[in-house]
């Protein structure tokens, strides 16, 4: 029995390398598709609203985000303004690196319009500041973070990961076909 098993192992050696390649490439494809899913696309820059405000307080806020399928807690930069007292402006990725100081006037690109930012109903009802995500920043007429460039860069990263995932998946399918054909040829030869 053991000699028969050893014969089968020796006969199937040519199938080993393409089978391993198929598994590895399938793993790479899964990784690439998950990475593409994790790339967050900001809102369409054409639909964002620009607001001007005075920075009254700069703080760090506790934030939760789903990263690789798990909820993670981390600190994010926040700005409070008397212009919109019921809102807290949060910064992520590119806008996080811009330094803010109290008393300066800035322009933010946000999804909400002035009427939504001035609405205090939810903030008063739940006794909390409503978080507003900032996508673009201008100071003193100079654009520090362009929402369109951030959107385009994230879109390019997402497409790159998707493209690499599809390439790896096609190569994995090719390796699986080679494995199947070699195994079928070996089994057909050994049966007759």
């Amino acid at each position: 029995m053991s000699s028969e098993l050893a014969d089968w192992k020796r006969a199937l050696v040519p199938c080993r390398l393409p089978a391993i390649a198929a598994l590895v490439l399938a793993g790479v494809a899964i990784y690439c598709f998950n990475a593409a899913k994790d790339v967050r696309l900001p809102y369409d820059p054409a639909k964002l609203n620009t607001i001007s405000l005075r920075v009254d307080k700069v703080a760090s806020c506790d934030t939760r985000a789903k990263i690789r399928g798990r909820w993670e807690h981390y600190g994010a930069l926040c700005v409070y303004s008397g212009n919109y007292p019921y809102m807290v402006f949060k910064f992520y990725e590119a806008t996080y690196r811009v330094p803010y100081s109290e008393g300066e006037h800035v322009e933010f690109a946000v999804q909400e319009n002035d009427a939504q930012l001035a609405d205090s109903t939810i903030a008063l009802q739940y006794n909390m500041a409503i978080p507003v995500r900032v996508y673009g920043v201008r100071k003193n007429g100079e654009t520090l973070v362009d929402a369109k460039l951030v959107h385009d860069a994230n879109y390019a990263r997402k497409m790159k990961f998707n493209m690499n995932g599809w390439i790896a998946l096609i190569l994995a399918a090719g390796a699986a076909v080679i494995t199947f054909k070699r195994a079928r040829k070996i089994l057909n030869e050994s049966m007759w």
Side-chain angles (χ1 to χ4, degrees):
M1 179 80 174
S2 64
S3 65
E4 188 176 319
L5 184 61
D7 291 341
W8 278 106
K9 282 184 181 179
R10 255 192 315 278
L12 293 174
V13 165
C15 300
R16 195 178 304 165
L17 189 60
I20 291 171
L23 290 174
V24 169
L25 288 168
V28 168
I30 290 169
Y31 168 78
C32 287
F33 288 133
N34 286 338
K37 188 173 70 174
D38 287 344
V39 174
R40 182 177 177 167
L41 280 182
Y43 286 93
D44 182 13
K47 296 179 181 175
L48 296 177
N49 300 306
T50 303
I51 58 168
S52 294
L53 55 93
R54 181 177 173 266
V55 176
D56 291 331
K57 181 181 174 187
V58 179
S60 179
C61 301
D62 186 39
T63 304
R64 283 179 37 160
K66 197 169 190 179
I67 300 171
R68 300 269 185 235
R70 292 188 310 263
W71 285 99
E72 302 283 338
H73 289 274
Y74 60 93
L77 184 64
C78 299
V79 165
Y80 296 89
S81 174
N83 300 37
Y84 303 101
Y86 302 106
M87 304 295 154
V88 56
F89 297 93
K90 291 191 174 188
F91 305 92
Y92 303 93
E93 298 171 5
T95 56
Y96 186 80
R97 293 184 222 109
V98 176
Y100 303 95
S101 58
E102 295 177 1
E104 69 182 345
H105 291 276
V106 293
E107 293 179 19
F108 292 151
V110 296
Q111 183 187 7
E112 294 82 0
N113 59 25
D114 278 331
Q116 292 169 323
L117 292 171
D119 186 18
S120 63
T121 308
I122 296 174
L124 293 175
Q125 184 178 0
Y126 293 104
N127 195 22
M128 62 177 270
I130 306 299
V132 176
R133 187 179 178 121
V134 176
Y135 297 99
V137 179
R138 286 176 55 90
K139 282 187 190 179
N140 303 326
E142 178 187 356
T143 302
L144 300 178
V145 177
D146 188 3
K148 180 163 178 36
L149 292 177
V150 171
H151 181 275
D152 292 346
N154 283 359
Y155 184 76
R157 280 183 53 225
K158 189 177 196 80
M159 290 300 106
K160 180 181 139 194
F161 278 125
N162 273 329
M163 180 188 66
N164 290 341
W166 282 110
I167 290 171
L169 191 62
I170 290 168
L171 291 174
V177 167
I178 291 170
T179 303
F180 178 74
K181 285 185 176 183
R182 284 184 182 178
R184 190 173 68 181
K185 181 180 174 188
I186 290 168
L187 291 174
N188 284 342
E189 288 174 357
S190 66
M191 287 182 153
W192 308 113

